[in-house]
Amino acid sequence: RAVLERMASTPPLSDGRANRYACGLIVGHYRGLRVMEHLGSDAGYRADSLVFPDNEFSIVCFANVSSAEPAALARRIADLCLGNALAQVSKPEEAVPVDSKILLAYVGTYGFEPGRVGHFGVRDGKFEINFGVEDPIELVALSASRFRIPGVGQCEFLKVRGGYSCKLTSSDVSDLGRRMVPDEKDQDLTGFVGEFYSVELQTFCRVSFDKGSLKLSDSKHQDDLKPLARDLFCFGSRTVRFERNRNGRVMRMFVSTGRSFNVRFDRSR
């Protein structure tokens, strides 16, 4: 029993924020019941294991097509099998129209902790969000400042001095994102060039400049860095944030992926 309790424990992160990730398990709630979950994916398959420990009920869902949504399917099975044990579902909020001028005021790149970046924009009259360079997700307006992000959760824009911040909520965890300084189109990219070393990973990464763009490489891969905001770049769904010293020289970078955040690399030369 002690082992099981330890597997499901979610100590807070080092900065005191809440943490839903236990020992290989995502811990949360579904319709009032405690759940422990682990999802898996790769080219051509999707999987989900959803456990209701207090109800002694588990669901494992495998799919061999990338378009499947096993987490949603597992919850539909739970709806059928657990019935009255589940809390009643509230009526979904209906979408409301929002003036385009209001939406344009929210446009920009926001940095969420730890290391997640989202860019809000308006395209063809649709309000969308991109995480890194993933496909855009169209938002559904629930009010003039609150939106549903299908497959992710909700976000709410809050008026602050000088603009807006954005509260992003996924399941029962919320992060407050700050709007980042826009990318300087004419900035000197050669200042980012150099070799960087991670003590944690015990490996080097190199940033180079070629044909007008920055490239990040290690011993096996090379990727183009796409600018998102000042000192912030992305490749795929990953982000790279550079940090400067008092003199403005780039001294370190922090790399974030979907499962690891702010991995530090210090300039070695």
Side-chain angles (χ1 to χ4, degrees):
R1 182 178 179 84
V3 173
L4 294 176
E5 291 177 352
R6 180 66 180 273
M7 286 180 63
S9 64
T10 54
L13 300 177
S14 58
D15 60 3
R17 286 182 300 106
N19 165 41
R20 294 180 58 225
Y21 198 73
C23 295
L25 299 170
I26 300 172
V27 178
H29 292 81
Y30 176 67
R31 293 183 59 181
L33 300 182
R34 190 165 64 100
V35 297
M36 297 187 297
E37 183 174 27
H38 186 82
L39 298 97
S41 65
D42 207 334
Y45 88 83
R46 299 290 185 268
D48 184 40
S49 171
L50 183 65
V51 178
F52 293 79
D54 300 328
N55 305 81
E56 298 184 349
F57 183 73
S58 300
I59 302 166
V60 178
C61 185
F62 295 101
N64 61 358
V65 291
S66 59
S67 59
E69 298 182 353
L73 292 172
R75 283 158 174 77
R76 289 171 62 184
I77 294 171
D79 292 343
L80 293 172
C81 296
L82 291 177
N84 295 332
L86 296 166
Q88 292 296 315
V89 179
S90 58
K91 184 179 178 180
E93 296 179 84
E94 296 183 359
V96 300
V98 179
D99 190 281
S100 60
K101 293 182 179 179
I102 295 177
L103 298 179
L104 290 173
Y106 301 147
V107 168
T109 301
Y110 294 75
F112 302 94
E113 293 293 340
R116 195 177 196 186
V117 175
H119 178 76
F120 293 89
V122 177
R123 185 179 62 168
D124 298 330
K126 300 176 180 179
F127 192 39
E128 300 176 332
I129 183 173
N130 287 77
F131 292 105
V133 293
E134 296 177 351
D135 292 336
I137 303 172
E138 183 179 354
L139 279 69
V140 179
L142 303 176
S143 73
S145 61
R146 192 163 55 87
F147 301 81
R148 181 168 67 246
I149 310 175
V152 177
Q154 291 191 12
C155 67
E156 181 179 9
F157 291 90
L158 307 172
K159 184 68 175 177
V160 296
R161 184 177 179 181
Y164 289 91
S165 61
C166 181
K167 181 181 179 182
L168 177 67
T169 302
S170 181
S171 296
D172 53 355
V173 177
S174 297
D175 284 317
L176 188 63
R178 298 181 296 273
R179 180 146 42 183
M180 309 185 76
V181 178
D183 172 41
E184 300 172 2
K185 300 301 181 182
D186 57 349
Q187 69 175 324
D188 181 14
L189 297 178
T190 60
F192 298 99
V193 171
E195 192 171 74
F196 298 81
Y197 180 73
S198 170
V199 174
E200 181 179 4
L201 301 182
Q202 297 186 18
T203 190
F204 287 92
C205 279
R206 181 173 181 78
V207 178
S208 58
F209 181 75
D210 182 47
K211 297 180 180 180
S213 65
L214 288 178
K215 300 183 183 299
L216 180 68
S217 58
D218 57 21
S219 60
K220 296 182 179 180
H221 305 94
Q222 183 178 81
D223 296 280
D224 292 327
L225 293 179
K226 176 185 176 182
L228 293 176
R230 183 180 179 183
D231 295 340
L232 180 70
F233 299 80
C234 73
F235 60 103
S237 60
R238 304 166 181 84
T239 60
V240 180
R241 177 175 59 87
F242 291 92
E243 191 174 272
R244 301 172 183 267
N245 61 15
R246 293 182 179 179
N247 297 323
R249 185 177 185 231
V250 173
M251 297 303 299
R252 60 191 60 87
M253 67 179 185
F254 298 86
V255 179
S256 296
T257 71
R259 296 188 177 185
S260 59
F261 301 96
N262 293 326
V263 179
R264 176 171 171 167
F265 288 77
D266 292 288
R267 180 185 287 277
S268 57
R269 65 178 183 180

